[in-house]
Amino acid sequence: MKKISFLFAVMITTVVSAQWSPTGTSLTSNIFRSGSVGVGYTTTPSFGTNKFLVNGNSYFSGNLGIGTTTPSEKVDINGNITAKQALFFNSAPNGTNYATWADRFRASIALTAGTKLFDQGVPYGVFSIYDFPDNPSDAYTPNPTVFLNVSDRAAKTRLRFYAEQGDETGFRINGKNSDVVFRIFDSGNDNDVYLDMPKSNSRVVIAGWGDYLPQHKLVVRGSSMIEGNILTDSNIGIGTSNFTDGTDSYRLSVNGAVRANRVRVYTDWADYVFEKDYYLPTLEEVENHINEKGHLIDIPSASEVEEKGIELGEMNKLLLQKIEELTLYIITLNKEVEQLKEQIKK
């Protein structure tokens, strides 16, 4: 019985002491234990069970598994982590000329998290940060540059931010095929900053949602205000989304009053009245037309104006036409009056 007890005690001591390795010892196999593990201790450290502690410069070349017996990385944890601070980085020496983009990608990754994805065989996460070193031979990023990428699980980059030291800054949102749908870019020249929405169906809605009148490029709702220049090759509606009137279409459509200091209209003019071949109606014809139609020749009636409105340029031209016709009538009457005066004198 004493022999059995002694043998059992030796076995327990051997198993427990095997969880500690002496200082400087290299562990070349994987570590996966449900009990306590101490590395770098010559004697059993005084901490409870289910602990892991490293002392001094002890090291191991295998994988460490916590909560798993099949660690696939240097540290493989199946569970939560609590820490005050963590620093994740990879070696990225400045000035190195990489043989391939994948080599630089691999060397410059600083942090990756989420589902493991691959680009040219290099693993990364759906959320990744890169610190590209200075590489003068690379025309794309010749200066040290920080990248932040968010990809979907199909390895398509959906969001990217980058800042090149002393130079460009960029932010972009990509579509499902990694094509740019929104970009803010600063070239680093302080006066070259722009926003891009390159898709042909892009639109901006202020004080509303993007599905409001999707056929329009810029929509401002409510009491929102716009100041500055608006340049568009499409139409602008204020208080209305209708740009057609009969067979006519209009670039600017306003449902409401318009106030302005000046309005310039480009149109043809009525100087043709003074041409020799212009037919000037007789006053008798004008009188008959008024009696029959109730308005001047070539001038729209009141009912037509109420129904269809008027074209400012065209209406001004017609009014000038009548003024010029009146001028001709007056000139003719004046000549007749002068002739009568001469006859009276005689």
Side-chain angles (χ1 to χ4, degrees):
M1 184 65 178
K2 290 182 179 180
K3 291 182 178 180
I4 295 175
S5 298
F6 176 77
L7 180 59
F8 182 76
V10 171
M11 292 175 62
I12 292 298
T13 302
T14 302
V15 171
V16 174
S17 63
Q19 297 183 38
W20 283 264
S21 66
T23 302
T25 298
S26 172
L27 300 181
T28 58
S29 60
N30 294 346
I31 297 176
F32 47 91
R33 291 189 184 274
S34 59
S36 302
V37 177
V39 178
Y41 288 87
T42 57
T43 60
T44 302
S46 57
F47 59 93
T49 59
N50 299 319
K51 307 287 185 180
F52 178 80
L53 197 63
V54 178
N55 184 28
N57 296 323
S58 300
Y59 62 92
F60 58 92
S61 59
N63 296 336
L64 170 62
I66 300 177
T68 176
T69 59
T70 57
S72 59
E73 304 291 344
K74 288 298 182 182
V75 179
D76 194 340
I77 300 175
N78 183 14
N80 298 330
I81 299 175
T82 301
K84 292 184 177 180
Q85 185 177 1
L87 180 62
F88 301 92
F89 63 92
N90 207 336
S91 176
N94 288 342
T96 301
N97 294 325
Y98 299 100
T100 65
W101 184 88
D103 291 337
R104 188 178 190 196
F105 184 97
R106 184 183 297 107
S108 300
I109 191 167
L111 174 65
T112 181
T115 302
K116 184 182 287 187
L117 308 172
F118 289 89
D119 188 347
Q120 301 187 41
V122 180
Y124 65 101
V126 296
F127 175 86
S128 301
I129 296 176
Y130 308 94
D131 182 14
F132 286 124
D134 183 13
N135 188 6
S137 65
D138 189 345
Y140 180 54
T141 53
N143 301 323
T145 305
V146 175
F147 276 81
L148 184 151
N149 279 359
V150 177
S151 304
D152 60 21
R153 295 189 179 184
K156 302 294 185 181
T157 300
R158 307 302 289 270
L159 182 147
R160 168 173 288 183
F161 168 82
Y162 72 91
E164 186 173 342
Q165 181 176 317
D167 208 333
E168 299 178 0
T169 302
F171 172 82
R172 76 185 195 191
I173 298 175
N174 296 341
K176 62 182 180 180
N177 296 316
S178 293
D179 48 342
V180 179
V181 297
F182 178 90
R183 181 178 66 162
I184 298 175
F185 177 77
D186 174 12
S187 67
N189 296 326
D190 295 330
N191 59 352
D192 190 7
V193 180
Y194 48 85
L195 184 152
D196 296 321
M197 297 175 66
K199 293 286 188 177
S200 60
N201 61 347
S202 299
R203 55 188 177 272
V204 176
V205 178
I206 300 174
W209 300 100
D211 56 355
Y212 175 77
L213 295 177
Q215 69 271 28
H216 303 308
K217 301 300 183 184
L218 174 63
V219 179
V220 181
R221 306 195 66 191
S223 59
S224 301
M225 180 182 298
I226 294 180
E227 295 183 1
N229 298 333
I230 299 177
L231 305 177
T232 177
D233 60 357
S234 186
N235 304 327
I236 297 177
I238 301 176
T240 179
S241 59
N242 182 23
F243 300 99
T244 60
D245 187 358
T247 59
D248 296 325
S249 60
Y250 297 90
R251 289 295 194 182
L252 174 63
S253 186
V254 180
N255 182 12
V258 176
R259 184 180 69 174
N261 292 330
R262 290 175 56 188
V263 176
R264 182 183 292 269
V265 179
Y266 293 89
T267 183
D268 55 345
W269 212 224
D271 288 345
Y272 49 78
V273 173
F274 297 139
E275 295 177 0
K276 293 182 179 181
D277 58 350
Y278 178 75
Y279 177 75
L280 180 66
T282 65
L283 290 176
E284 289 78 9
E285 290 175 327
V286 173
E287 181 183 11
N288 292 334
H289 188 278
I290 293 174
N291 292 334
E292 180 181 352
K293 304 291 185 179
H295 57 86
L296 290 172
I297 299 174
D298 297 330
I299 300 297
S301 66
S303 59
E304 289 177 310
V305 173
E306 291 175 1
E307 179 184 357
K308 300 178 181 180
I310 61 173
E311 297 282 350
L312 288 179
E314 179 65 17
M315 196 65 213
N316 281 337
K317 181 186 73 173
L318 293 176
L319 293 177
L320 176 63
Q321 175 184 330
K322 295 306 162 185
I323 292 173
E324 291 178 346
E325 288 178 351
L326 286 174
T327 302
L328 293 178
Y329 290 135
I330 293 173
I331 291 174
T332 301
L333 289 175
N334 184 63
K335 289 180 178 179
E336 293 178 354
V337 169
E338 292 298 327
Q339 291 175 358
L340 290 174
K341 287 181 178 179
E342 290 296 327
Q343 292 177 4
I344 292 173
K345 288 180 180 180
K346 294 180 180 180

